[in-house]
Amino acid sequence: MNAEKELTGKIFDIQGFSLQDGPGIRTTIFFKGCPLRCPWCHSPESQAFKSQLSFLAAKCVGTESCADACVKACPENAVEYGELKDGVKPGEKKQLIHVNREKCTECWKCADACYPKALSKCGTDYTLDEVVKIALRDKMFYEDTGGVTLSGGEVLSQPEFALELLKRLKEEGINTAVDTTGFVKWEVIESILPYTDLFLYDLKNMNSELHKAVIGVPCELILENAKKIAAAGGKLQIRIPFIPMFNDSEENLRLTGQFVKELGDAVTMIQLLPYHNLGSVKYTRIMDNPKIFEATPPSDKKVQWAKEILESYGIKVGIH
Ligand code: SF4
Ligand code: SF4
């Protein structure tokens, strides 16, 4: 028998009670995979489209404590003995592990064997029913303004699953938001428009050459799609990651303000997201010797200055 394969989406996290991913109290579903490579990305685990082995050293109790469970579980000898670190008892050292990613064939046996969950599989295939069930669990907390946000990664890189999930959520009477880079074919955005109450829409830089040089893709498609969403009656909350030496010039802020103003009533507000480096620790969980972007976070004064420039275009601006 040739049973049809059930539609699944690759999800790397689901967070309840989120206050940062759109209006009200929300459940946020994080999709895996993104076509952009923002050097300051706070969710590096969102970038690859496939599942990845994650190792969180802070959770590892050491090989002796769990009788080398992960080392023994690996059929490829890819789990090796790694650094000695201070242990759980004062004065003791614990032997951590190191994953040799070149040997790893992603069978996840070590993650299954690791009871403290220091090793885990990042990226799980969920069915629609599974995600909807989780979203419904917190429905009573969504009240008037909250709901479910699809985030990532780039949600619309998994267009079929995103569309069907949004349809199901609307059938359940749930408010929906989609957090997107906008770097997607218009047809995909058009297909989800009737089921999306709000787009959380990133604008990172108005200079396409710089956008491409730093992030890997130009910005024309992103700007065009924002205009088309506005023209089609969609609602947009514009999000601007405020990154030192990349998009913090007065010229870029003014070009952004003017562009957003021209989107008219479709824009509910701009959220300014000042750069911070709290996500950098996540890189080491999924890769060896990662290149980590480092910059001094903008001062409160500079953020306020940027906010006032954007507000001068008659737009409500929040700081996240
Ligand atoms: S990774 Fe897990 S199984 Fe391996 S030593 Fe650490 S805690 Fe034990
Ligand atoms: S995922 Fe499989 S191959 Fe990779 S380190 Fe773990 S047990 Fe070894």
Side-chain angles (χ1 to χ4, degrees):
M1 237 174 80
N2 199 5
E4 210 176 300
K5 198 171 172 286
E6 190 172 4
L7 181 63
T8 57
K10 201 169 279 296
I11 307 294
F12 71 90
D13 199 6
I14 298 180
Q15 284 176 11
F17 298 94
S18 168
L19 296 171
Q20 300 182 351
D21 300 307
I25 297 172
R26 311 191 74 86
T27 297
T28 307
I29 321 284
F30 291 92
F31 284 51
K32 204 149 170 18
C34 184
L36 275 57
R37 286 293 175 269
C38 303
W40 55 84
C41 180
H42 292 149
S43 306
E45 71 277 35
S46 74
Q47 294 183 341
F49 287 89
K50 60 176 193 150
S51 301
Q52 290 166 292
L53 184 62
S54 166
F55 175 60
L56 179 52
K59 277 194 179 177
C60 177
V61 296
T63 52
E64 271 185 41
S65 300
C66 46
D68 302 338
C70 54
V71 179
K72 287 178 188 157
C74 180
E76 309 294 336
N77 296 322
V79 184
E80 301 166 349
Y81 293 102
E83 279 178 283
L84 276 173
K85 282 257 175 175
D86 289 338
V88 273
K89 290 184 197 149
E92 278 186 8
K93 293 271 181 195
K94 61 181 176 183
Q95 177 88 58
L96 301 187
I97 54 109
H98 170 257
V99 178
N100 185 330
R101 293 185 185 270
E102 284 185 6
K103 285 189 189 171
C104 174
T105 55
E106 294 162 356
C107 70
W108 319 120
K109 287 183 179 160
C110 58
D112 292 342
C114 175
Y115 71 86
K117 298 281 171 233
L119 282 162
S120 62
K121 179 182 172 188
C122 175
T124 303
D125 295 321
Y126 282 83
T127 65
L128 288 166
D129 283 347
E130 286 169 335
V131 180
V132 172
K133 193 171 163 196
I134 294 170
L136 284 173
R137 227 168 33 196
D138 292 338
K139 192 178 175 190
M140 72 177 89
F141 301 106
Y142 300 155
E143 297 177 334
D144 293 343
T145 51
V148 172
T149 298
L150 312 192
S151 184
E154 174 48 64
V155 171
L156 300 177
S157 291
Q158 300 186 54
E160 208 185 336
F161 188 78
L163 173 61
E164 295 308 320
L165 180 55
L166 288 164
K167 283 184 186 170
R168 289 281 301 273
L169 293 169
K170 291 313 297 174
E171 278 167 19
E172 298 290 349
I174 293 175
N175 177 284
T176 56
V178 172
D179 182 3
T180 178
T181 64
F183 191 73
V184 188
K185 279 189 196 153
W186 167 248
E187 293 71 33
V188 173
I189 296 181
E190 195 177 25
S191 72
I192 66 159
L193 254 167
Y195 314 101
T196 304
D197 294 308
L198 180 68
F199 288 87
L200 307 178
Y201 203 91
D202 284 11
L203 291 184
K204 300 183 174 89
N205 200 307
M206 300 300 285
N207 178 326
S208 194
E209 257 177 55
L210 190 56
H211 201 283
K212 184 165 183 350
V214 174
I215 299 174
V217 304
C219 68
E220 284 89 351
L221 177 65
I222 296 167
L223 301 180
E224 275 311 304
N225 282 338
K227 287 191 216 164
K228 286 179 176 170
I229 292 172
K235 289 285 174 203
L236 297 141
Q237 182 190 102
I238 301 295
R239 311 197 120 199
I240 305 176
F242 190 52
I243 311 296
M245 309 295 288
F246 173 61
N247 63 0
D248 60 349
S249 69
E250 180 168 351
E251 184 193 4
N252 186 59
L253 288 164
R254 293 208 174 276
L255 286 170
T256 308
Q258 185 58 37
F259 177 81
V260 175
K261 184 180 171 184
E262 286 167 17
L263 296 175
D265 291 345
V267 176
T268 59
M269 69 180 302
I270 290 179
Q271 282 285 7
L272 201 51
L273 314 170
Y275 164 79
H276 62 75
N277 47 18
L278 300 176
S280 55
V281 66
K282 291 186 182 173
Y283 283 81
T284 53
R285 292 183 198 171
I286 50 162
M287 53 184 99
D288 289 333
N289 309 315
K291 252 184 35 198
I292 296 176
F293 175 85
E294 278 182 40
T296 307
S299 64
D300 290 350
K301 197 173 158 200
K302 178 128 196 192
V303 174
Q304 193 57 34
W305 166 80
K307 180 175 184 275
E308 283 166 18
I309 291 176
L310 293 167
E311 281 172 339
S312 73
Y313 290 84
I315 310 156
K316 182 180 166 197
V317 181
I319 299 171
H320 227 44

